[in-house]
Amino acid sequence: MKIIVICLLVVLYSCSDELTIKQDYDYSIQTLPVPQKIQKGQTVPIEFMIIRDAVYKKAVYSFRFFQTDGKGTLTNDKGQPYTVNRYYIIEDTFTLLYTSRCEEAQTLDFVFTDNFGKESEYRISFQYDGKKD
């Protein structure tokens, strides 16, 4: 009796002609180490990596950022500036350049989003380094 029930379940399950393909994989954000202290006028590269649980070729990633403490500018590695709270399409690895414009602690909050709506937050903080060169 058990064999007939199992066979019936297999036949019923295999009748579905819908194929489900997983597209919205989890991911995380990592950076190479960045300095903990920064001087006014100093530029620091921030090298980001998106670490995917699996690769779906049609996945698209973007980020936006907020400067919650301090003052500075953020550009890409070609010198093009980024504006706070605007979305920018990115690759799996990319470099941003942050230039300090103040003599106080500075914090950048990044929000990464994929085209399936999954978000990941990342924070980078710098302490002001008052040393003179």
Side-chain angles (χ1 to χ4, degrees), residues 52 56-62 89-90 113-116:
R52 303 181 191 203
Y56 176 64
K57 290 182 182 183
K58 293 183 181 179
V60 177
Y61 297 90
S62 63
I89 303 294
I90 52 175
T113 308
D114 68 10
N115 54 323
F116 300 101

Side-chain angles (χ1 to χ4, degrees), residues 71-83:
K71 184 176 180 183
T73 56
L74 192 66
T75 65
N76 64 18
D77 56 355
K78 296 173 182 61
Q80 298 166 321
Y82 288 112
T83 303

Side-chain angles (χ1 to χ4, degrees), residues 11-131:
V11 170
L12 291 175
Y13 183 74
S14 64
C15 289
S16 173
D17 60 353
E18 292 182 30
L19 178 62
T20 303
I21 299 173
K22 184 167 175 67
Q23 301 172 349
D24 59 336
Y25 294 102
D26 289 334
Y27 65 94
S28 62
I29 306 299
Q30 292 182 359
T31 62
L32 292 180
V34 295
Q36 294 181 354
K37 294 184 177 184
I38 193 169
Q39 295 180 358
K40 184 177 180 180
Q42 181 180 358
T43 300
V44 175
I46 307 170
E47 298 181 50
F48 285 93
M49 295 162 281
I50 298 173
I51 310 302
R52 303 181 191 203
D53 284 356
V55 176
Y56 176 64
K57 290 182 182 183
K58 293 183 181 179
V60 177
Y61 297 90
S62 63
F63 84 93
R64 59 189 171 132
F65 79 100
F66 308 91
Q67 181 141 16
T68 52
D69 292 314
K71 184 176 180 183
T73 56
L74 192 66
T75 65
N76 64 18
D77 56 355
K78 296 173 182 61
Q80 298 166 321
Y82 288 112
T83 303
V84 171
N85 202 23
R86 293 201 54 201
Y87 284 98
Y88 296 95
I89 303 294
I90 52 175
E91 300 292 326
D92 282 7
T93 59
F94 63 99
T95 300
L96 300 177
L97 301 174
Y98 177 74
T99 303
S100 171
R101 302 287 182 214
C102 68
E103 296 179 350
E104 59 189 73
Q106 297 153 68
T107 302
L108 297 169
D109 289 319
F110 294 88
V111 178
F112 294 86
T113 308
D114 68 10
N115 54 323
F116 300 101
K118 289 190 177 191
E119 289 189 348
S120 181
E121 296 180 9
Y122 198 88
R123 173 174 277 184
I124 296 177
S125 296
F126 302 101
Q127 295 300 316
Y128 173 63
D129 184 359
K131 294 188 298 186

